[in-house]
Amino acid sequence: MKRIGIFYGSTSGNTRAIAQKIRYNLKPGLVDVYDVKDACVKDVEKYDNIIFGASTWGTGILQKDFELFLHTTLKKANLKGKKIAIFGTGNSSVYPNSFVDAIGIIFEELVGKGVTFVGEFPTDGYEFQSSLSIFNNKFKGLPLDDDSDEEQNKLRISIWTDLLKIDMN
Ligand SMILES: Cc1cc2nc3c(=O)[nH]c(=O)nc-3n(C[C@H](O)[C@H](O)[C@H](O)COP(=O)(O)O)c2cc1C
């Protein structure tokens, strides 16, 4: 597997913690983790395999640091040919109508930039009303729900990272 860069935006620490779990599940020595607040264009461009992670806030709004990163750093970065996976944190019981919208917002911004998206995830087992992250009946990345128990999130991370080990080869 080639080196992977994980870039996350996190307000209260949940997405940061998930980023470390994903790193651990993939192969810690092969994965670098960046808070988007500290990441520059060069950091992004040095990876062929990239994972983006962000939470959703204020009813369907991308986490604020990630929003800035998306519209400044990522806008300038050459992403052509890169494999991209996305994960998002959210809360389906409190925000069922905008569940993990961040995944869809990031996807829509990057589509058309010559990247290949990997790591789609089935909607089975999630309970919510609507989400901007669903295309063709699948999430465009891995949703992690504050409302799910730790074991369930652990299992989902494990399934997803096993998928990435194949798709990011
Ligand atoms: C004010 C507020 C608004 C939120 N809005 C959404 C939302 O629209 N959709 C969603 O899925 N989760 C929403 N959440 C839940 C957060 O995305 C979730 O708690 C996430 O784990 C926070 O991750 P972070 O600490 O990495 O920022 C919201 C939480 C708060 C406090």
Side-chain angles (χ1 to χ4, degrees):
M1 202 164 61
K2 287 183 185 170
R3 279 202 89 72
I4 296 176
I6 301 182
F7 297 83
Y8 70 84
S10 181
T11 300
S12 57
N14 294 349
T15 315
R16 179 185 309 126
I18 300 284
Q20 290 299 345
K21 286 179 187 162
I22 290 172
R23 170 176 177 260
Y24 182 79
N25 268 37
L26 283 168
K27 203 170 189 188
L30 269 187
V31 183
D32 303 315
V33 178
Y34 299 81
D35 185 329
V36 292
K37 281 192 287 194
D38 309 320
C40 64
V41 173
K42 272 194 178 163
D43 293 328
V44 176
E45 287 183 341
K46 67 182 179 206
Y47 301 95
D48 291 328
N49 290 325
I50 301 174
I51 299 175
F52 293 127
S55 49
T56 303
W57 284 81
T59 318
I61 294 170
L62 187 54
Q63 193 272 343
K64 62 179 170 47
D65 302 320
F66 205 100
E67 186 166 58
L68 186 64
F69 174 72
L70 192 64
H71 293 126
T72 55
T73 311
L74 284 188
K75 203 149 222 152
K76 289 185 238 153
N78 179 6
L79 299 176
K80 213 169 176 177
K82 298 187 185 300
K83 285 189 182 166
I84 309 277
I86 307 169
F87 71 96
T89 49
N91 189 317
S92 66
S93 62
V94 187
Y95 304 95
N97 295 310
S98 54
F99 178 51
V100 293
D101 277 359
I103 294 174
I105 297 169
I106 297 169
F107 169 73
E108 295 260 42
E109 197 68 29
L110 300 182
V111 84
K113 289 192 185 291
V115 307
T116 302
F117 291 97
V118 297
E120 283 189 339
F121 208 72
T123 57
D124 309 310
Y126 292 91
E127 284 186 29
F128 61 98
Q129 291 299 318
S130 83
S131 173
L132 295 178
S133 305
I134 296 176
F135 297 80
N136 294 326
N137 299 317
K138 279 192 167 180
F139 287 110
K140 273 290 169 193
L142 174 69
L144 293 156
D145 192 347
D146 293 355
D147 201 39
S148 298
D149 63 41
E150 197 161 336
E151 278 311 304
Q152 194 166 31
N153 277 339
K154 210 171 155 182
L155 179 67
R156 285 170 174 158
I157 292 172
S158 162
I159 293 168
W160 194 64
T161 49
D162 281 352
L163 199 71
L164 296 192
K165 281 177 194 164
I166 299 165
D167 288 345
M168 289 191 150
N169 216 335

